[in-house]
Amino acid sequence: MIKRRGSKPVRIGTVVVGGGAPVVVQSMTNTDTRDVGATVAQIKRLDEQGCEIVRVAVPDMEAARAIPAIKKAINIPLVADVHFDYRLALTAIAGGVDALRLNPGNIQDHQQVRAVVSASKEREIPIRIGVNAGSLPPNLAGQEPSGKPQGVSERMVQAALGHIRLLEDMDFDLIKVSLKAFDVPTTIAAYQRMAELVSYPFHLGITEAGTPRAGSIRSAVGIGTLLHMGLGDTIRVSLTGDPVEEVITAYEILKALNLREHGPVMISCPTCGRTEIDLVGLALAVEKRLEGIDKPIKVAVMGCVVNGPGEAREADVGIAGGKGRGVIFRKGEIVRTVPESELYPALLAEIDKLLAETS
Amino acid sequence: MIKRRGSKPVRIGTVVVGGGAPVVVQSMTNTDTRDVGATVAQIKRLDEQGCEIVRVAVPDMEAARAIPAIKKAINIPLVADVHFDYRLALTAIAGGVDALRLNPGNIQDHQQVRAVVSASKEREIPIRIGVNAGSLPPNLAGQEPSGKPQGVSERMVQAALGHIRLLEDMDFDLIKVSLKAFDVPTTIAAYQRMAELVSYPFHLGITEAGTPRAGSIRSAVGIGTLLHMGLGDTIRVSLTGDPVEEVITAYEILKALNLREHGPVMISCPTCGRTEIDLVGLALAVEKRLEGIDKPIKVAVMGCVVNGPGEAREADVGIAGGKGRGVIFRKGEIVRTVPESELYPALLAEIDKLLAETS
């Protein structure tokens, strides 16, 4: 149902971003990049969870020099996050990174930018221009030509356009763009505006969104709204915590919009004064049981027999609890009735059967 | 930045829904409604968390008769959720409920509907028509006049319109509407369509969204996208679990869109290979410390001194950690530098100062 914006595809290692490719999930390590062992271990955990591109900070030369060892030990494309110092970018490129995040306008010397662009072009390494609301360059004084104060989103767009032009002037177009703010409506407005101006693919994110609890909700609202508008080719959820949480949240956002499948989906009712079985306990047990499963099966755990099967018609398999008993249903049709004590094992048996059938 | 849809206001007890009023947060108990003690205790916990309207299921006459005792013991408006049996609705109204959720088209006898409408009109009790994707009436055969199969969202809209007309024909217009599905794009399409057809206020929700982990993300995507479009006057997040989680999630959605203030907001960076302090631990400690605070202060916990204060300019107060030290900043300006060991107490002291100033 979502009509996605047409964007120019770029290739980051083996992964295509933009041009109608499925929305790509990425994350960033929070280990010390110089600690190759810790960084690789974290990337492997991210990879297992479905992370498709990973970024590492490259704050100094020692971090840049760690890249070949990291790259060699991992199986997903690696992006180097570089600020200000072009030598870090050159070392990262030589070290085998698949893409850069770098704002060329922040490098004072254009010859230095040219050196990075030239190396990127030679190896076909895309550059993400990543403008964040809080670090807008001071030369964007916040005035529109009319003299009216310029909104933050417009200043973000102008800052990004400045960086984009620098690259385009050097005949470089392997560009991705991000425009992140903590403020969700500002972020949305910036991407909407940019979509009118360029065709480069968008990397979406809400910056400094917070801890997993609040930050995942904030990210889901911002990224979800943009994706529903058809904007966004890759997403990174930023959370203060284990980056694995970022990947889990990213997939939940994409699954909510039917943009990606990623393991099981569970449909479960909030329970109410009508519920006559321990539905919350059952739902949590089923959620736990589904954790290891890769297939995109839909399982429903519903509180009442009257509405349960109907409400969860799109589920492959489900249970609906009644008074001391419950029904097993598939695709909205009741297949059998079991006593409450047998609901959980009966559902697990149905799930196993379903998995066997679809394998 | 969000331009909200104009809607006809209705009053539920002391709370106005629609007509430009702030978006109202509601939830539903999952206790046995007949157990007055347990239901009241849960409603009090919901109220403490900021729940502004609460709904209880009324599946039988004993539950309907519990309403006066519940109503007497709580301080927020009470909604009775009634299906099929008009006598439950009449008993709930007589018992003092502030609103009903009831689909009049599901009551076969129009004289019975008339009795409910008449009692509701007399006491000025609004009725929410709540259509869920999974329980569409069988007479909506899924065919458009053209013969093309009709989409689920359009069938939901048609079902709701049928219920609305029944009430309107009885000269009743204290109506709220909800159109919930588990599928987010379907839900969004239904509300968008309905917004073109009626001016009644909207109650938003994603039905059977799942456990708190996945369900809160799914709800944030669906409800957040609709709110950003300007649709929605009250929201209920449906989660399989403690309904207090629904209220917390609802406010995080509203705060993300600047539609409501509700306690502190924390801006915290995801940390990266540049971070040289235990930022995750610090952020979680600060989040914990902020839990008891009602005021809508903004606190930032940032990993690096270079970007931290700039990125978190909108924060009232914040810290940014560097190598073994950190800075305290207010509104983006650094006010002092402290050793790492003193960061947490120094931030708490600043928060206390801020709270004292704003009280």
Side-chain angles (χ1 to χ4, degrees), chain B residues 68-91:
Chain B
I70 295 169
K71 179 69 191 159
K72 205 174 149 186
I74 63 171
N75 298 310
I76 54 175
L78 184 66
V79 181
D81 194 282
V82 177
H83 290 278
F84 309 114
D85 187 343
Y86 84 113
R87 291 166 302 177
L88 300 177
L90 290 179
T91 305

Side-chain angles (χ1 to χ4, degrees), chain A residues 17 37 200 267 274 326 332:
Chain A
V17 173
Y200 299 117
I267 300 164
R274 283 185 194 90

